[in-house]
Amino acid sequence: MSLANGRLHMALPGPSVMPDAVLQAMMRPAPDIYSDELRVLTEGLVRDLKYVAQTQHQVAIYIANGHGVWEASLSNVVQPGDKVLAPVMGVFGFGWAEMAQNLGVEVELIDHGRQTPIDPEQVRAALLADKGQQIKAVLAVHTDTSTSLRSDIKALRQVLDEVGHPALLMADCVASLGCDEMHMDKWGVDVLISASQKGLMVPPGLGFVWFNDRAMAARQALARVSGYWDWQPRVEPEIFYQYFGGTAPTHHLYALEVALGMIKAEGIEAVWARHQALAQAIWAAVEYWDSPMALNVADPEQRSHAVTTVKIGAPDGDRLREWCSTNAGVTLGIGLGMGTEADPTGAGVFRFGHMGHLNATMVLGMLGSVEAGLDALGIAHNPGGVAAAAQVISTASSV
Ligand SMILES: *Cc1c(COP(=O)(O)O)cnc(C)c1O
């Protein structure tokens, strides 16, 4: 018998759960794109997007996914022959680095592997070795969605300042914005990127690039900028269509308006605190279940609050995911990019996505289903992980 019928829960690290109100906002006819309605709407979105990133600077909106804003961000600050530093933890940073290479940019790579976040001291050494200060930007991923590692972005700003290096600090916050604490201005991030389908709770299709005056100066110094990715007309549009380089993504804008409204109503600090408490509940369950299950990231300070990567041993990651979706109506994330020689497809790894529109009931339901699956599949575990998670949630609620 399957017990999967009912509301399906997508516990993927993107696309994340879309609130009903967000989906409903899209259920309407196309608007008149020449009316004032969309201009006013877009001005409000720009304001609210700055709030989510905690910046007073600029934000450009693109009809794109995360890969699109990888390219958009680079296209405005570097040109062929320039050099960037890419300290990569986990998997996603390689994608951004490769995008830079495809644009003719030289990439100096530091590979931190899959268990440790970006090491500011290795970044310091690379900057000090750059005697002619040729490095134009440091590409840092805030949360790596494959490994669930989280890097300390403000520590990188401190290193840049201490070394006195003018490189721009660029942060990929696709998997962390609206989940993990981020203060673009206070932490000295020059360029920040994100996309709609993770912490921002909107269908895939919108990408965002926030940037400050230093980044704008880099843009002005380039010989040419790709017409579509150029952020200047998008932040200083003379006519409405320039916000989007063409027809506005009308229904995504309606969705985003509602999603950002939800974040504002809760308050960004409360959103961060909720993600932290729910993440801690998930970690408590996994740690209680214990061997053969283990969190990929040992140090809680280095863990994402939006996604959790769990090692369980092949093929049990795949078996458990299959059991959960077939029998319980919850879809867990695959071991994306986590393959090894012994387990080339990452079948021994799965991920909990816990970003965006998520409450204690959803997390406890998800964990309860996993515990049932462990039991049904005969995978060794200490029964009671859900109670351990409930304890964390109970403690969080009383403060
Ligand atoms: C999801 C993700 C991306 C890529 O986003 P797409 O929308 O899939 O192109 C980039 N960086 C990080 C950290 C991500 O989590």
Side-chain angles (χ1 to χ4, degrees), residues 191-211:
V191 178
L192 188 151
I193 65 170
S194 196
S196 52
Q197 78 273 23
K198 296 186 183 173
L200 300 183
M201 310 178 285
V202 167
L206 291 182
F208 313 101
V209 180
W210 293 256
F211 59 93

Side-chain angles (χ1 to χ4, degrees), residues 13-15 64-70 89 91-93 95-96 99 140-146 172-176 193-198 204-207 307 336 351 355:
N65 56 20
H67 283 68
V69 288
W70 274 343
M89 56 155 182
V91 177
F92 278 74
W96 205 5
M99 194 65 87
V141 173
H142 188 204
T143 288
D144 177 67
T145 323
S146 289
D172 172 345
C173 299
V174 176
S176 58
I193 65 170
S194 196
S196 52
Q197 78 273 23
K198 296 186 183 173
L206 291 182
V307 54
L336 181 76
R351 292 174 301 160
M355 41 180 59

